[in-house]
């Protein structure tokens, strides 16, 4: 029962985290948090990835461990590929999914940095004009 709860938790949390990474820069109130989650993702993929393999994700690792203990041994290498398969039943080309995931991540990170920078500049300008 505990493993099923954790499986559901990771499915919901990781999916929400991913969607927040993609869309959080859009809303001024969430931009700072979005930049933090994107940087945490980059740290996991590119720094922890040095030791665990490019694109390593701590959430995916924990989720796969829970699923393995449940006797579920998924064939997908990445969470996004797994999620797409779970939602659509389509086994998309893994390399294509990886490239599109990376492109969306880079675009989201660039947008978040740009908009956070503009927000900060605007706040500094407003503070100095008072």
């Amino acid at each position: 029962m505990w493993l099923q709860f954790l499986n559901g938790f990771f499915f919901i949390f990781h999916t929400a985290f991913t969607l927040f990474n993609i869309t959080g820069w859009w809303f001024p109130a969430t931009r700072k948090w979005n930049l933090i989650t994107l940087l945490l993702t980059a740290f996991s993929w590119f720094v922890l990835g040095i030791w665990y393999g490019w694109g390593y994700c701590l959430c995916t690792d924990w989720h796969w461990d829970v699923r393995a203990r449940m006797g579920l041994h998924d064939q997908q290498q990445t969470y996004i590929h797994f999620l797409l398969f779970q939602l659509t039943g389509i086994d998309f080309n893994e390399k294509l999914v990886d490239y599109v995931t990376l492109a969306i991540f880079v675009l989201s990170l660039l947008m978040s940095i740009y908009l956070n920078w503009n927000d900060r500049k605007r706040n500094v300008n407003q503070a100095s004009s008072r």
Side-chain angles (χ1 to χ4, degrees), residues 109-128:
L109 181 60
L110 291 173
M111 289 302 297
S112 188
I113 291 169
Y114 174 76
L115 292 170
N116 272 287
W117 178 267
N118 277 352
D119 290 349
R120 181 160 170 74
K121 216 165 51 169
R122 186 174 347 160
N123 290 340
V124 167
N125 288 340
Q126 286 174 353
S128 66

Side-chain angles (χ1 to χ4, degrees), residues 18-67:
T18 301
L19 290 172
F20 183 71
N21 270 353
I22 295 168
T23 63
W25 55 267
W26 189 268
F27 309 101
T30 61
R31 283 184 186 147
K32 288 179 185 176
W33 285 107
N34 175 252
L35 184 56
I36 291 168
T37 63
L38 285 164
L39 292 173
L40 286 171
T41 301
F43 178 82
S44 184
W45 285 7
F46 305 117
V47 176
L48 294 178
I50 293 169
W51 294 278
Y52 297 104
W54 181 90
Y56 173 79
C57 178
L58 192 59
C59 284
T60 301
D61 195 19
W62 289 342
H63 195 181
W64 275 196
D65 185 49
V66 167
R67 293 179 66 77

Side-chain angles (χ1 to χ4, degrees), residues 18 21-23 25 38 41 45-46 54 80 94-112:
T18 301
N21 270 353
I22 295 168
T23 63
W25 55 267
L38 285 164
T41 301
W45 285 7
F46 305 117
W54 181 90
I80 300 301
E94 284 195 49
K95 286 290 179 200
L96 177 62
V97 171
D98 288 349
Y99 290 135
V100 170
T101 299
L102 180 60
I104 291 171
F105 173 79
V106 169
L107 177 63
S108 297
L109 181 60
L110 291 173
M111 289 302 297
S112 188

Side-chain angles (χ1 to χ4, degrees), residues 10 14 59-69 72-74 76-80 82-83:
F10 277 116
H14 201 182
C59 284
T60 301
D61 195 19
W62 289 342
H63 195 181
W64 275 196
D65 185 49
V66 167
R67 293 179 66 77
R69 290 176 188 216
L72 303 170
H73 301 282
D74 301 296
Q76 294 83 12
Q77 295 296 313
T78 66
Y79 184 76
I80 300 301
F82 165 77
L83 183 62

